[in-house]
């Protein structure tokens, strides 16, 4: 294949789209697994969420805008909590975090994972009990570790020997014994994009299982007696649909647990298998229900514990994307429509890579629909692109939209709750969009849109 000067993402010239994409019989139809549970088309053909029309939402709050179906998010929290009733469910805050979402997940009985001092600050400001917080990160600073100890964070996931030394010294100075988990890299690479596959050996996270450093770290914690070693932690990647990776990971981590028992006579009470559960971004995705995941993971752990003659530890998981991802869609307004004859039609919207970097960064796929009206026009293969001065500024690579899409229309992109607002930027000095939560026909702003004043506020030159 001839190299394309703008990158591989732009070398797929042609009007066919990906092999899995099918021309829809009804271009107005919504694929249920892609949308929050309370999204539908109203009598006028426009999308509604929890009974509120998107035209009204756009008129009040502007676009681009992240729209969160609050009851859908809460239902997903409950589904995980009920499926893993005997276990602990930690919402992975890195997917999307704000005070309102922290309160929602806390009210629904979930724990919370944070991975920076900023995320910890949001959690505490929202009133999350610190004992229900887990603290991740491969390079936690002294200040971050000190604050975690001062507020009483429930568990700290230790990621390196340097961190182990820092935390041990800080805990010794304070005369406290914080609970910790050892993060283990188990050599399992999930079937996912290489940038977000986190458990193979060649990466920055955790203690190597194959190299022996994970066992060394665990034994050091037990021997020094300053920190309370509660268990082991493994995370094998993101956007995972197949539990076979978890099976291999659990087998290897529990083998390590057996080695720790044999060396020190201690059976660790907890096991965290991480998160990374996939969601549906397009019609080709088929995610498992939380109940199915719970049954499969529990069966895997019980089988491996029996093989190693271990008591079954308390299991914990860390869904982030699987909870917030499907609960949000992004609402855009169309600005221009450009037909490149024989190639594709470009539909430009008023956002782009500053509010959703995942397409450019991970080659991620998304869906889209005309949101402000229904259309009688036939389907047209389109590419939804942003307003940034960048040829890679693509939101949706390939999607069928009505052939009469025009400037002023609203387009909605589902599945944008995870890693869109949290990875948003001010590229080209574009303000980041706000987030509204909709419930019972009413919308409330939970993260306000940025303004030009916000952009200038940090500029002191």
């Amino acid at each position: 294949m001839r190299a394309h000067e703008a990158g591989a993402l732009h070398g797929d010239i042609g009007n066919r789209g990906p092999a899995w994409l099918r021309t829809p019989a009804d271009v107005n139809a919504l694929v249920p697994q892609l949308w929050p549970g309370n999204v539908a088309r109203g009598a006028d053909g426009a999308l509604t969420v929890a009974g509120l029309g998107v035209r009204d939402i756009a008129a009040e709050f502007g676009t681009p805008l992240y729209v969160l179906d609050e009851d859908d998010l809460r239902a997903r929290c409950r589904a995980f909590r009920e499926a893993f009733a005997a276990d602990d469910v930690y919402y992975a805050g890195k997917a999307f975090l704000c005070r309102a979402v922290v309160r929602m997940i806390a009210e629904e009985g979930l724990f919370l994972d944070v991975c920076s001092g900023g995320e910890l600050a949001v959690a505490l400001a929202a009133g999350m009990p610190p004992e229900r917080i887990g603290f991740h990160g491969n390079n936690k600073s002294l200040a971050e570790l000190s604050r975690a100890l001062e507020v009483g964070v429930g568990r700290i996931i230790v990621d390196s020997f340097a961190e182990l030394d820092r935390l041990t010294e800080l805990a010794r100075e304070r005369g406290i014994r914080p609970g910790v988990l050892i993060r283990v890299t188990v050599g399992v690479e999930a079937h996912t994009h290489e940038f977000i596959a986190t458990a193979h050996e060649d990466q920055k996270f955790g203690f190597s299982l194959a190299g022996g450093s994970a066992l060394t770290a665990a034994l050091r914690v037990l021997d020094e007696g300053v920190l309370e070693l509660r268990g082991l932690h493994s995370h094998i990647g993101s956007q995972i649909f197949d539990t076979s990776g978890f099976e291999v990971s659990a087998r290897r981590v529990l083998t390590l647990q057996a080695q720790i028992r044999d060396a020190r006579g201690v059976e660790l009470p907890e096991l965290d298998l991480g998160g990374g559960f996939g969601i549906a971004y397009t019609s080709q995705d088929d995610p498992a229900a939380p109940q199915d995941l719970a049954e499969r993971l529990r069966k895997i752990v019980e089988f491996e514990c029996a093989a190693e003659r271990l008591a079954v530890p308390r299991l914990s998981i860390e869904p982030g994307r699987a909870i917030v991802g499907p609960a949000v869609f992004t609402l855009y307004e169309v600005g221009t429509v450009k037909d490149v004859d024989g190639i594709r039609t470009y539909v430009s919207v008023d956002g782009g890579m500053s509010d959703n970097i995942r397409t450019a960064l991970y080659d991620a796929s998304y869906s889209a629909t005309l949101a402000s009206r229904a259309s009688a026009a036939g389907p047209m293969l389109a590419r939804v692109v942003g307003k940034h001065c960048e040829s890679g500024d693509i939101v949706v690579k390939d999607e069928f939209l009505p052939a009469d899409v025009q400037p002023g229309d609203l387009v909605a992109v589902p599945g944008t709750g995870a890693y869109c607002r949290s990875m948003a930027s001010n590229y080209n000095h574009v303000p980041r969009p706000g987030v509204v939560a909709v419930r019972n026909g009413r919308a409330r702003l939970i993260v306000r849109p940025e303004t030009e004043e916000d952009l200038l506020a940090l500029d002191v030159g």
Side-chain angles (χ1 to χ4, degrees), residues 390-414:
E390 198 71 48
S391 61
D393 179 23
I394 297 171
V395 179
V396 183
K397 291 179 289 185
D398 295 285
E399 180 59 286
F400 284 100
L401 293 173
D404 64 349
V405 65
Q406 58 191 319
D409 281 334
L410 298 177
V411 168
V413 176

Side-chain angles (χ1 to χ4, degrees), residues 107-184:
E107 289 167 4
E108 298 300 336
L110 270 58
F111 293 71
L112 175 65
D113 264 329
V114 300
C115 57
S116 73
E119 289 183 355
L120 178 59
V122 172
L124 296 173
M128 173 62 79
E131 65 271 17
R132 297 177 65 85
I133 298 174
F135 198 171
H136 273 282
N138 69 297
N139 189 25
K140 306 179 193 71
S141 68
L142 279 171
E144 288 173 328
L145 291 172
S146 295
R147 189 176 191 191
L149 294 178
E150 288 163 6
V151 302
V153 161
R155 66 179 193 178
I156 298 173
I157 295 83
V158 178
D159 208 279
S160 68
F161 285 113
E163 181 187 334
L164 181 55
D165 291 340
R166 291 180 199 136
L167 187 59
T168 300
E169 183 61 27
L170 290 170
R172 185 181 283 117
E173 289 173 357
R174 289 162 173 76
I176 58 177
R177 194 164 185 253
V180 300
L181 273 66
I182 298 293
R183 178 157 179 171
V184 183

Side-chain angles (χ1 to χ4, degrees), residues 76-85 89 277 290 293 317 319 322-323:
R76 294 178 192 277
C77 289
R78 289 194 296 273
F80 272 100
R81 187 196 67 209
E82 292 165 5
F84 290 87
V89 179
F277 311 119
L293 287 170
I317 59 164
I323 289 174

